[in-house]
Amino acid sequence: MPAIAEPEDNHPATVMRVLVMLNAIVAILMGLAGSEARQVLLFWAGLVPARLTLAVDGQLPVLGAASTLFGHMFLHGGAAHLLMNMVMLIAIGRILEPTLGSRRFLVLYLVSGLAGGLAEWAWSPLSTIPAVGASGAISGLVAAQAMLFGQSKRGPLMQALGLAVAWVVLQVLAGAAMGGPDLRIAIMAHIGGFIAGLALARPLMRGAQGA
């Protein structure tokens, strides 16, 4: 399948802008919060796999499971972590959102983030250390970008895999910069989000072309 040309229209990437703004607002609130409030927020909105495991047994409400699966996409471990993710979101979102449409772009972002959270839970279901960041969702965007716009001679899938490796390495470096024992880089969330992006890219593109 030939590479899809980059969109020439000037439609604003509205959802991408909203996502960046939400992440920035949450980061500011995290910075203003005291240590105790920060720990509470990390537990209730960060990706804590043990909460999902307990929820399966009915020991926590479904709302708790939802907050940990979706909330982690809007929390970050520091300025460097936030900046790296938002730069990538802007770089990819300005192309993908006008191409797919705002609703499909949002579906790609949220489903990739959800798939990343579920992958991390399946890998370490009893972990109580919060994992934070939009990296799983953005991994899905990276995969979709490569699948739809990849022009490598090796093919879009191989280009996507190469980008995925580079992205994970950058995230590990960001994790080292974050420091502290209360947060961790969720490698499996990156992988889960990436696989979701690969799977969703072409169907979403076909839906956008048929709209």
Side-chain angles (χ1 to χ4, degrees):
M1 178 177 178
I4 299 169
E6 183 172 331
E8 297 180 355
D9 60 37
N10 294 317
H11 295 163
T14 306
V15 168
M16 179 268 287
R17 294 168 189 256
V18 170
L19 289 171
V20 171
M21 185 166 51
L22 284 175
N23 277 278
I25 290 173
V26 172
I28 292 172
L29 293 177
M30 285 281 286
L32 296 175
S35 177
E36 184 175 346
R38 172 185 165 86
Q39 292 302 319
V40 170
L41 183 59
L42 286 175
F43 179 77
W44 285 103
L47 176 56
V48 182
R51 294 187 62 218
L52 296 176
T53 304
L54 293 173
V56 170
D57 295 330
Q59 297 178 31
L60 285 176
V62 174
L63 180 61
S67 72
T68 203
L69 279 173
F70 287 100
H72 76 279
M73 301 182 209
F74 301 95
L75 295 173
H76 288 84
H81 190 205
L82 173 69
L83 181 62
M84 182 181 298
N85 279 345
M86 293 305 99
V87 166
M88 185 67 78
L89 175 56
I90 292 170
I92 296 178
R94 70 180 184 84
I95 297 174
L96 270 186
E97 185 175 346
T99 301
L100 297 177
S102 294
R103 284 182 295 179
R104 291 180 181 85
F105 177 78
L106 182 60
V107 167
L108 174 63
Y109 184 90
L110 293 178
V111 172
S112 295
L114 176 62
L118 290 173
E120 186 65 22
W121 168 54
W123 180 256
S124 53
L126 298 180
S127 174
T128 58
I129 303 175
V132 298
S135 307
I138 295 175
S139 292
L141 301 185
V142 170
Q145 168 85 357
M147 287 295 290
L148 297 178
F149 298 99
Q151 298 180 4
S152 170
K153 294 181 180 179
R154 298 173 298 170
L157 180 57
M158 292 304 298
Q159 181 171 346
L161 291 174
L163 286 173
V165 172
W167 178 237
V168 171
V169 169
L170 286 174
Q171 289 294 307
V172 170
L173 294 176
M178 287 185 336
D182 58 336
L183 291 173
R184 61 190 171 90
I185 291 292
I187 300 299
M188 292 305 297
H190 290 71
I191 296 173
F194 185 80
I195 292 173
L198 288 179
L200 289 172
R202 296 284 170 74
L204 289 176
M205 189 67 217
R206 285 195 294 268
Q209 291 173 335

